[in-house]
Every structure is written in C-alpha cells, then in structure tokens.
Amino acid sequence: MTDFNRRQLLGAGLAASATLTLPGFAAAQVNRNAPARVVVVGGGFGGATAARYLKLFDPSLEVTLIDRDALYTTCPFSNYVLAGVRSLDSIQHRRDPLQQRWGVKLVRASATAIDTGAKRVRLADGAVLPYDKLVVAPGIELNYGGVPGYSEKGAERVPHAWKAGAQTALLRRQLEAMPDGGTVIIAPPANPFRCPPGPYERVSMIAWYLKTKKPKSKILIFDAKDAFSKQGLFQAAWESEYPGMITWVAGKDGGKVEEVDVANLSIKAGFGTEKANVLNLIPPQTAGKIAIDAGLAESNGWCAVDPKNFASRKAADVHVLGDASIAGAMPKSGSAANSQAKVVAAAIVASLRGQAAPPAVFHNTCYSLVSPDYGISVTGTYRPGETVAEVPNSGGVSPARADAAFRKQEAEHTLGWYAGIIADSFG
Ligand code: FAD
C-alpha cells in the first residue's frame, strides 16, 4: 500500500472499505460500457489543449481538468505588460468555454498527490479522482535554492516574473518607480528552462520602455549561458534600436550569478559585484512539484517521456507534456505544449479504442517582440525518433537582413499567433 493510499484510508477511517472512498472506481473496472475517465492535471497551454482535444476527438470520454487557479495568466505577452504595452487583464483567460462548449469537467483545486499504482489523483480538499488515463501538465517549479541568497520570500523584492501574474505586476511597478539613469539587471538561468527566447524578449521590451520614458537608464544581462535563442537577431536589433543601453555578459565571461543579496539588490558573479535599481532574477527550474512528488521525474527534475506520444517513462497510463517533459529538441514553450497536447489526445483516444495512434508530428513557433513594431520568430517541425528531433530545414529564424516593413509584419503576426493559440487551447 502506498503512503497516499494508507493516509487516505486511515484519514477516512475506512481502511477495510476502500471502494467507499473512491465512488465509481471499482464499478468502472468491470463496466466496460462506462465512459473512460481521463484526468488532466494543470490547465495551462498543455493541459487545457489536451482536455479540449480529447473531447473533440471523442465526445463520449469523461474528461476532468484540474487547475488551482480560476484564471490563466499567460506568460506569452507578459513581457509586453512589463513594457506597459498591454494590461495584465488582457493576458488573463477563463477556462469556462472548455466546459460550456466542449463538455470538459472543470475542477478548481490543487492536486496534492498522484497514486500511479491505484490510478487516482487526490485534491487538497481530500477528494479523490480515479482515472483510466492521466495527463500531467503542471508546468514548472522555480528552484529558488539554485541561486544562493534567493528564496520564495526574496522574490517579493527581487521578482522572477517567470510565472505570470502578481510577479509580472510587481516587476512592472518596480520599473515604473525606477529613476531615469537607473540600472536594470536581468539574470537568465542555464538551459533547460521555460521559454529560451523569453529573457531576451524581456530585455528588449524593457529597453523599449526605458528608451521612451527613462532614456539614460541601462540594462545589464548576467547570463549563466554562453549563447541564447535568436541571439544574432536580438543583438543586431539591440544595436539598431537601443544603442549603448544593453550589455550582455556571457557565462564564460563571468556572467553566471553566484549569489544574490536581496536586501541590497545586488548580485555577485564571476565578473564582479553589481548593484541594481531593479533586479530580475530568473532562477533554474524543474518540472512542476506534483510531477516530481508523483515520481514521474528523473534526477534532473524533468520528466522523461516516449517521444511518439509523451507517455511517461515512469508510470503506465500517464502522459506528461509541456514544460514538465523532456521533449528532445523542442523548446519549453506554449506553442510546443499546445502541439504535444494534440498528439497526446490522439494517442489516448487510440489506446482506449485499442487502435494504433496516428504518426506524431509536432510544431513550434516562438515570436518575440523587440519593440511593438519589430517582431522576430523561430519556427520548427519535429518528429519522434530516439528523441523528439527537428526535421532538417523545416523551419528556422527570421532573416538577419529585413526591412522595417518586414519586422512590423512579424510583430503583427505575433498578435495573430496569440489570438489563435488562446482560442485553440481554451476555446
Ligand atoms: P503552464 O502554462 O505553466 O500551465 C501549468 C498549469 O498547471 C498552471 O495553470 C498551474 O496553475 C497548474 N498547476 C500546476 N500544478 C498544479 C497542481 N498541483 N494542482 C492544480 N493545478 C496545477 N511560449 C510561447 O509559445 N510563446 C511565447 O511568446 C512565450 N512567451 C513567454 C514569455 C515569458 C516571459 C515566459 C516566462 C514564458 C513564455 N512562453 C512562451 C513559455 C510558455 O509560457 C510555457 O512554455 C507554457 O506556459 C508551458 O505550458 P504548460 O501547460 O506546460 O505549463
């Protein structure tokens, strides 16, 4: 008997009568006509899309989507909130259409444990949801301890803003309060982490805000890495749009933050000690806690999966997708999570019907704004092999040489991409 099982039974005083704590569970095992139950933990880009497509592919399924928050605040476009280009509420979305239009059962709760042996999920209020198939899409956990001196409490003064919402609003307020001539330090982590181009889009959009409102200010990037996504495009754009404002210190040049002094807003790196007016520290990350607690993660903190259907390598009838998974060449992006979710939904439906799943193809597009009128992108198509591998020449980045009209057009495509993925995931 697992700990979860034992606690559940002892807590309810029902050790001799397990089925009473799990209504419908035993009966469904023998009733092959009952609808199959798919539970999805985490209603972000990955989980919400999986729930929607499961119902789309097979309306007879009983699909339950668990998320702790009533509203989903997207990280995509949160950097534009920092720049004052968009409001926070413009990036907050309800999941209700999933229930009203598609028949997904929405449960607002924290999932506190998964028993992959007994195939059930426990919620914070003690309720237990049995499943036939489980999708785990909890996103990331921030590893505060990965940077000495940092902590969850410290994030109230030194925001990470790597989960959008209150942290985004806090960083925006700090930027607004900063004097002209101030220094913003942004410290991105080593790979792998959520949204590889995200820190550099953030640098760009903060630079745009500073250029328009506080032009004597500077941005220092203390990076744990020696290279970053869309680097050539970003750096060329920084030179043309924000000359002299941005300095990037690579890991090999002492950029990796070794310690943070939260009270003094300063960081110690190989390069030296620097003090900021606004300090944005993005700590290392792992898969969401629930995935780790359920034993689905490897020792590196991420969840290994079968590349053709994102089935967990650790537990039967469980799929892990989105940021929490190890997805080969695919980045940890909302676009990737949305794409993986459709493959997973198709694989689950096929498996429940005893059929072969259709061959998997994945796609990713990541737009970044350098300014409101200057967009760049990276795109790729991926197929499963030993791992998820990019199809050669299937995508690429925006051209290095392009005129202002081209960059503006990509900025406009960013808006279309956002509207499309919101409708596809939550609609
Ligand atoms: P999430 O979106 O984090 O969803 C996880 C959900 O699970 C959350 O709603 C959470 O509340 C819930 N949850 C977790 N644990 C539990 C639990 N125990 N019980 C109940 N609920 C739980 N991607 C792009 O494609 N394009 C972009 O332009 C882009 N820009 C970005 C900009 C920034 C600044 C950042 C930080 C990220 C950006 N991303 C972008 C990346 C994108 O946000 C993530 O890759 C994406 O959100 C991953 O989706 P997910 O479903 O795996 O996780």
Side-chain angles (χ1 to χ4, degrees), residues 213-286:
K213 302 280 192 227
K214 304 174 188 195
K216 288 186 255 159
S217 308
K218 298 256 177 284
I219 303 178
L220 302 178
I221 311 164
F222 282 90
D223 210 326
K225 301 181 290 304
D226 294 339
F228 59 87
S229 172
K230 295 183 260 188
Q231 182 168 351
L233 289 168
F234 273 119
Q235 288 184 316
W238 293 344
E239 257 176 53
S240 68
E241 306 300 301
Y242 313 113
M245 183 180 272
I246 299 167
T247 304
W248 176 63
V249 185
K252 66 178 164 45
D253 300 324
K256 184 175 188 304
V257 174
E258 289 164 1
E259 200 176 338
V260 59
D261 181 341
V262 166
N264 283 314
L265 294 182
S266 73
I267 54 119
K268 194 171 137 229
F271 181 78
T273 298
E274 283 288 339
K275 191 166 159 44
N277 295 86
V278 173
L279 178 52
N280 172 217
L281 183 64
I282 305 166
Q285 297 141 37
T286 63

Side-chain angles (χ1 to χ4, degrees), residues 328-362:
M330 291 192 88
K332 296 188 186 299
S333 76
S335 177
N338 169 272
S339 175
Q340 292 157 8
K342 294 171 195 175
V343 169
V344 167
I348 288 175
V349 169
S351 163
L352 289 169
R353 290 178 181 170
Q355 297 170 348
V361 183
F362 305 96

Side-chain angles (χ1 to χ4, degrees), residues 41-47 66-69 72 75-79 95 109-112 137-140 161-162 194-195 198 201-202 290 321-324 332-337 364-367 417:
V41 175
F45 284 114
I66 304 166
D67 201 288
R68 54 165 78 106
D69 296 325
Y72 181 64
C75 288
F77 279 28
S78 64
N79 288 331
R95 299 182 183 85
S110 255
T112 51
I140 56 162
W162 219 238
R194 158 175 284 182
C195 195
E201 179 191 66
R202 174 168 291 177
I290 184 80
L321 59 87
D323 286 359
K332 296 188 186 299
S333 76
S335 177
N364 177 66
T365 302
C366 281
Y367 287 100
W417 171 83

Side-chain angles (χ1 to χ4, degrees), residues 58-201:
D58 188 344
S60 77
L61 293 178
E62 185 185 303
V63 178
T64 305
L65 177 62
I66 304 166
D67 201 288
R68 54 165 78 106
D69 296 325
L71 283 176
Y72 181 64
T73 307
T74 66
C75 288
F77 279 28
S78 64
N79 288 331
Y80 317 158
V81 174
L82 296 179
V85 175
R86 286 184 81 119
S87 64
L88 189 61
D89 63 4
S90 78
I91 61 166
Q92 294 183 314
H93 304 278
R94 302 195 67 84
R95 299 182 183 85
D96 304 28
L98 293 172
Q99 183 151 329
Q100 288 154 5
R101 298 186 57 198
W102 302 100
V104 173
K105 257 169 90 177
L106 296 179
V107 173
R108 186 179 167 202
S110 255
T112 51
I114 298 170
D115 183 335
T116 56
K119 298 177 74 170
R120 52 201 188 180
V121 177
R122 189 176 59 189
L123 306 180
D125 66 1
V128 171
L129 300 181
Y131 63 81
D132 298 301
K133 297 278 184 183
L134 178 70
V135 177
V136 179
I140 56 162
E141 208 60 45
L142 296 157
N143 174 13
Y144 295 101
V147 181
Y150 202 39
S151 63
E152 192 168 358
K153 179 90 187 122
E156 290 167 19
R157 180 158 165 77
V158 174
H160 51 77
W162 219 238
K163 289 188 180 186
Q167 281 275 303
T168 314
L170 172 62
L171 184 52
R172 169 69 188 158
R173 285 197 301 278
Q174 292 183 348
L175 290 166
E176 284 179 300
M178 189 184 90
D180 189 8
T183 300
V184 179
I185 294 180
I186 299 180
N191 294 321
F193 67 102
R194 158 175 284 182
C195 195
Y200 313 96
E201 179 191 66

